[in-house]
Amino acid sequence: MKRSIYNEEHEAFRSVIRDFVAKEVTPCFTEWEAARRTPRELFHKLGALGVLGFDIPEEYGGPGETSFRYQAIIAEETAAAAGVSFGHYSVTTSIVLPYLLKLATEEQKRRWLPGVASGETVLCIAMTEPGTGSDLAGIRTIARLSEDGSHYVLNGSKTFITGALNSELCVVAARTSAATPEDRRAGLTLLVVSTDSEGFGYGKQLEKIGLHARDTSELHFTDVRVPVGNVLGEVGKGFSYLGQNLPRERLSIAVNAVAAAVAAIRFASDYVQERTVFGKPVASFQNTKFVLAECETEVAAAQALADQAIELDDARELTPAHAARVKLFCTETAGRVIDKCLQLHGGYGYMLEYPIARLYADTRVNRIYGGTSEVMKTIIAKDMGL
Amino acid sequence: MKRSIYNEEHEAFRSVIRDFVAKEVTPCFTEWEAARRTPRELFHKLGALGVLGFDIPEEYGGPGETSFRYQAIIAEETAAAAGVSFGHYSVTTSIVLPYLLKLATEEQKRRWLPGVASGETVLCIAMTEPGTGSDLAGIRTIARLSEDGSHYVLNGSKTFITGALNSELCVVAARTSAATPEDRRAGLTLLVVSTDSEGFGYGKQLEKIGLHARDTSELHFTDVRVPVGNVLGEVGKGFSYLGQNLPRERLSIAVNAVAAAVAAIRFASDYVQERTVFGKPVASFQNTKFVLAECETEVAAAQALADQAIELDDARELTPAHAARVKLFCTETAGRVIDKCLQLHGGYGYMLEYPIARLYADTRVNRIYGGTSEVMKTIIAKDMGL
Amino acid sequence: MKRSVYNEDHEAFRAVVRDFVAKEVTPHFADWEAAGMPPRDLFRKLGELGVMGFGIPEEYGGPGDTGHKYQAIISEETALAGVALGHYNVSSGIVLPYLLNLATQEQKRRWFPGIASGDIMLCVAMTEPGTGSDLAGIRTTAKLSEDGTHYVLNGAKTFITGARNSELCVVAARTSAPTAEDRRAGLSLLVVPTDADGFTFGRKLEKIGLKSSDTNELSFVDVKVPAANLLGEEGKGFSYLGQNLPRERLQIGVSATSAATAAIRFAKAYVQERNVFGKPVASFQNTKFVLAECETEVAAAQALVDKGLDLEEAGELTPADAARIKLFCTETAGRVIDKCLQLHGGYGYMLEYPIARLYADIRVNRIYGGTSEVMKTIIAKDMGL
Amino acid sequence: MKRSVYNEDHEAFRAVVRDFVAKEVTPHFADWEAAGMPPRDLFRKLGELGVMGFGIPEEYGGPGDTGHKYQAIISEETALAGVALGHYNVSSGIVLPYLLNLATQEQKRRWFPGIASGDIMLCVAMTEPGTGSDLAGIRTTAKLSEDGTHYVLNGAKTFITGARNSELCVVAARTSAPTAEDRRAGLSLLVVPTDADGFTFGRKLEKIGLKSSDTNELSFVDVKVPAANLLGEEGKGFSYLGQNLPRERLQIGVSATSAATAAIRFAKAYVQERNVFGKPVASFQNTKFVLAECETEVAAAQALVDKGLDLEEAGELTPADAARIKLFCTETAGRVIDKCLQLHGGYGYMLEYPIARLYADIRVNRIYGGTSEVMKTIIAKDMGL
């Protein structure tokens, strides 16, 4: 259906991205997947393209505040192109950078933001610990202030860290004091840790169902020295900072999911028109038509919902509960749609050389990360007064 | 979620309608259902309210071209109020009147439109015949021109006619010449027939699963004389006229469906908060919260899709395939949502005194009339090039 | 798929039932729906047929314990024909088992012959306005008279199916207040004649479907119930409730599955007859696929029900098994009947088509006898969750 | 729910298989997945266990016809453990039946003992690049040599499971051109040694899951196949295909159902161990309801499969029955495994958790052995549509 959220400037940006994807990503993507990460240079190229520093003020080398539409276009052009991605691009840009923008001091901004915008400095974030899951209050990684007060000594382990192998800085949530009986969430602090610090160890890389072009690792910290100048925000207030950017992160996941579903429909439409069974194109069977019509209709609704949310985000009106609705609906819809589109591919749909297979394996996690569908429902129900 | 399609003027209109519904409809609705029709006077009141003549030019007593938003508001305020309706209001206003606006001659407009706008003249339409279903090319009702050329003599039967008992004029699709081998659709003509004509007979009233406040009847025509001045459009071109207004009709069904789903969620939310089970409010169970959160999310998507379509309709850009997507998605969603909301009512949900029971029985036909979901899928698939 | 739960005796019985339904039910069913209940005489005819007193020993005029499969066959045959026998199943399948378990010798002599013959029909009054399924909240009271000869019953009940065609009503009432430790204490079951003074019928409730059986509010104003009509022991009422639930739920599964089978049959006949764009609806791939899906889901439901019937016969049907059967079969029937209605197009919404009636009737299957949510709670507990 | 399809002998066999899986498979399975196939030696161990030659008469070293339930038990036990035996089922369940039906006395003597011992593994090559399931479009040719001693095989195949661990490959090839009346004419089945000159392995295809079995492209360049390796009659290949499909589909149903059962088991263990907000995940109502739904659907699938196993044993399983079973069980397993993964949260996406592997593995079940859409076509035809 006709969309109304993009103007000519957006479309010009889209064609730049499309070109970039066609030249720099699609031809190498299978290799990246086999390597289980993208090459580090990708981020330099993305920096040159000017898409790493959204919302970074111009004085620090960024383009200043930017509508989420540009990030939506990137999602559309990567997922929709061939089910490819920029590795952990969305983690660095949509998830970690906003923490720096919000919390960094003037000095920190000068120190870090220009590198982020240029691609010299790529970011990752370390929250989850083995055994704690999404319950961040249970964090056991400890940062002890040195006697002279000049640095913290960091010890502990983290898991599910996306993009760490390609990152220079890692935002680590650590305990700088014990939780109090009244407040299990007290005592958490965010530290910005250089990944080349001594004692910063990469654990095993985790094998996932999909998303093979981005690395997911365990991290171990053994007496890592982190200068006090690298504390992000106030000491002990870490918990309150977490999740402030979640609405946009969830919107971003939703937009990605919709783009993947759009791509799936395109792959399936192409496939069924080319492919014949019993001498007739698969497209000529009524079941094929109906299934694709259903898919396209559901995706039209998801797109309408996501577009509405992009506009709300621009107007600074995207509430957490709205974002939860959009994430829940778009990721559940994409899950169903991609499954049906794979089915139309028959046996080929199970072979990873077909992009539909990759989409299937990649998108399963959409209903989980950034908060599971169940967490979304909890948020929505609360918003409904239930 | 925050909607953006209504301005203050719309909201003022909404409160007028809300008042009207509260005073004139809700208190009597059960009686109307028991009587299997609304009182004829309802339409006089609706005429006085000024909502019967949307799009009728001012010279004929109407308000001139009007955004569909006003009709959407009526749908929202009737369905959303208590699952009530204005009987066959939407048939006369959204389905039949557009034929007259499009096809009537100057003289006919002068003759009919002022009465339509005031509520003196209520409209119905007779297409389907026993045994032909949606295959209009199979129509067997015959209109034979009299020898002197002054009138047609109409003979035949129609079924599934909504609102005929309350209507003064009935648009009848009849055969004025035989179909040709090349064109099964040739020879159909639309006639505007007075329901008080001699030979215009009401057959049995059909019992439906729901929608009890609107009558649905069979009609029989026995030598009914219809003046040639009552031919709508050109003789023999009836088939080409049919369905020209379908996108809006389907949008209207979709908007009604969304409004009904919104109402269902409200009824269920109220019910689960009042009602206790094992000493706890039903609302406190996680399943209740999750089910309602899912419902609300799906309805948010349906609403976004419908709102987008209302805007496209205003811009004259609502294509038949877009309208099909909107109808398919919104009616399927409403079906699922209302079913789940009924379930949350337990045994009370099956009792017709609870509005959720009425919504359940009423909305089942949404996926059927105005073109079944299967027909929608056929249209969408064609639009996708399949 | 070939079924194996029934033997030749069962099939002979099925033929008799089918015949009865075709002659005595189907031709009159629309009238019963219009009237809101079948004629009282129907049950005497069913008595003559010998199906009113399953479980009643021969000495009291019944056929003795025949196993549940005969009752299953009645459910199947009525559902397959798209009709119902009023509140037959409430009387024979739900209430009679209470009497079979709890009635004294004297009570059996007094009531069983009439039940077996169809002269005494039974209904049951549990739910009260506002209490829902929380039976511990019952407020209807039965006070024993000073001379101990009778109880005085006062209170109100709702959702009582078949009361207008019943002679006896099993009423759950409070004979003493609940205790702090046990909210369920103090409930007793009384067998109350529906023609007793002070036994009043309230509103007949309008339902989405099931138009051929009456659902009522009842009120009791100083109704005198002989002490000899106490069922089981005083104060133990709560413990008696639900003992027969596994069978009742199996039964709902049986009839939901047959209703779904009937829906497929109706839809198949319709799509083969009906033309669209000059081709039978049956010739479209979507029609074929939808009906194939439906039939497959019903095959699974049937396999599950049949397994349940065998387990029940062997005394091995657990409450959680029955919950699984009810949950699966009623959810399946709901989906299947909805799809079969859809294949009928506009006709599917008209009550003269049996598919429309099935749609309106079946919705309550996911609710009564315990909602799907209650079933899930039982199953999860059985899984150790 | 209590099952009744297996007797004591079956259960004794199950214990042996379970033991074998626990000792010989589970500890090594991650390695096999990394290697893309199990070691060749696995099948010799299975031969020692006596499970390689079901259906092979005792005179050739097999156990004779034991009924299908033993094979079902192997599927169940591997699926329940969340592992697989490489292409065991292809060899024993799919290809061996061709040989049992079609091999001559001489061929039986030549091949059966090795198959029973696990020294000869089998694979089958039907699909060609671009032809999909339309076997009439096969373009691989087998030209009989002038002296009639051998065929010369040329062509390419794809989607060949287990070829790298197989000694013999049943290849469908054209020995003459199709005729205008019969597109299916001219196909023959040849048993080709995988070490023959000109028999080349092409790419190993990367799959979403099923990482522990190899799926390959094959190409044949002037492969000489002895005429004595023709299976059945020349030109009748098409008629031989699919004769064993009902059993194959039943088998897929068996293993899908067990995989779903395993998924529930994994999820249950996970939610009981795992805390969120200080409470076990198992304590949330949503968790309970989701698992209760899953278990109920699997109970229905199991009832259907068990019915199928009994019908198969009685020789009464129709092709449409098998289609119903495959459709229902694979669709159910797909849904159930998806929900069980969801309950694992982020861990569910990590392949070290068996639920992640199950998710990736199970997706193809709705496709291979005939897609769900093909099943619906078969069922609809059986319904007279």
Side-chain angles (χ1 to χ4, degrees), chain D residues 221-239:
Chain D
V221 183
D222 292 336
V223 179
K224 288 171 81 156
V225 184
N229 280 17
L230 176 68
L231 201 57
E233 291 183 46
E234 197 181 275
K236 297 214 169 161
F238 198 89
S239 69

Side-chain angles (χ1 to χ4, degrees), chain D residues 273-351:
Chain D
E273 244 168 49
R274 177 89 183 162
N275 284 295
V276 168
F277 309 121
K279 293 201 299 182
V281 176
S283 70
F284 290 92
Q285 192 189 35
N286 179 67
T287 307
K288 295 181 200 205
F289 276 26
V290 167
L291 284 173
E293 285 161 20
C294 287
E295 212 224 19
T296 298
E297 290 195 50
V298 173
Q302 193 69 73
L304 190 66
V305 156
D306 285 357
K307 188 169 184 61
L309 286 169
D310 279 342
L311 287 172
E312 203 277 337
E313 195 163 69
E316 298 183 296
L317 184 77
T318 68
D321 288 345
R324 283 181 191 98
I325 292 169
K326 178 179 189 287
L327 176 62
F328 186 81
C329 296
T330 59
E331 294 285 338
T332 299
R335 276 194 310 276
V336 164
I337 291 170
D338 183 81
K339 289 181 188 175
C340 289
L341 184 155
Q342 186 69 17
L343 291 174
H344 282 73
Y347 295 98
Y349 198 61
M350 300 298 144
L351 286 170

Side-chain angles (χ1 to χ4, degrees), chain B residues 336-358:
Chain B
R336 277 195 307 278
V337 164
I338 291 168
D339 183 81
K340 289 181 188 174
C341 289
L342 184 154
Q343 186 70 18
L344 291 173
H345 282 74
Y348 295 98
Y350 198 62
M351 300 297 143
L352 286 170
E353 69 196 85
Y354 280 77
I356 189 70
R358 216 153 58 204

Side-chain angles (χ1 to χ4, degrees), chain C residues 57-269:
Chain C
E58 292 183 34
E59 52 191 302
Y60 303 116
D65 187 2
T66 58
H68 187 64
K69 291 180 179 177
Y70 289 95
Q71 279 163 273
I73 287 170
I74 295 176
S75 291
E76 289 181 11
E77 287 302 316
T78 46
L80 288 170
V83 297
L85 302 173
H87 80 300
Y88 166 76
N89 192 53
V90 171
S91 184
S92 299
I94 298 179
V95 193
L96 176 53
Y98 282 105
L99 273 57
L100 291 170
N101 281 337
L102 301 171
T104 61
Q105 206 58 5
E106 181 274 327
Q107 289 174 331
K108 287 179 179 169
R109 266 198 304 274
R110 192 146 44 105
W111 294 324
F112 281 6
I115 293 170
S117 69
D119 288 312
I120 298 177
M121 287 297 290
L122 309 167
C123 65
V124 60
M126 300 279 173
T127 312
E128 302 190 352
T131 62
S133 47
D134 187 10
L135 296 175
I138 283 176
R139 282 170 307 204
T140 292
T141 56
K143 236 187 118 211
L144 193 60
S145 63
E146 301 213 340
D147 61 2
T149 60
H150 61 271
Y151 291 92
V152 180
L153 188 69
N154 280 286
K157 297 281 181 180
T158 191
F159 288 171
I160 314 308
T161 298
R164 284 165 204 266
N165 261 335
S166 293
E167 281 65 36
L168 294 178
C169 179
V170 174
V171 176
R174 237 174 226 305
T175 43
S176 62
T179 62
E181 311 84 65
D182 186 3
R183 295 178 64 232
R184 297 161 170 192
L187 288 184
S188 300
L189 300 185
L190 296 174
V191 179
V192 185
T194 56
D195 60 0
D197 276 347
F199 186 112
T200 327
F201 293 100
R203 287 185 313 151
K204 213 163 134 183
L205 300 169
E206 284 293 321
K207 305 184 294 289
I208 290 176
L210 294 184
K211 306 282 190 188
S212 72
S213 72
D214 53 311
T215 303
N216 306 279
E217 293 177 344
L218 297 181
S219 68
F220 313 122
V221 183
D222 292 335
V223 178
K224 289 171 80 157
V225 183
N229 280 17
L230 176 69
L231 201 57
E233 291 183 47
E234 197 181 274
K236 296 213 171 162
F238 197 88
S239 70
Y240 301 140
L241 300 179
Q243 290 188 343
N244 197 45
L245 274 176
R247 246 201 200 193
E248 186 183 334
R249 287 176 180 154
L250 171 62
Q251 182 71 7
I252 294 173
V254 166
S255 89
T257 305
S258 292
T261 303
I264 293 172
R265 203 175 284 176
F266 297 143
K268 187 180 154 189

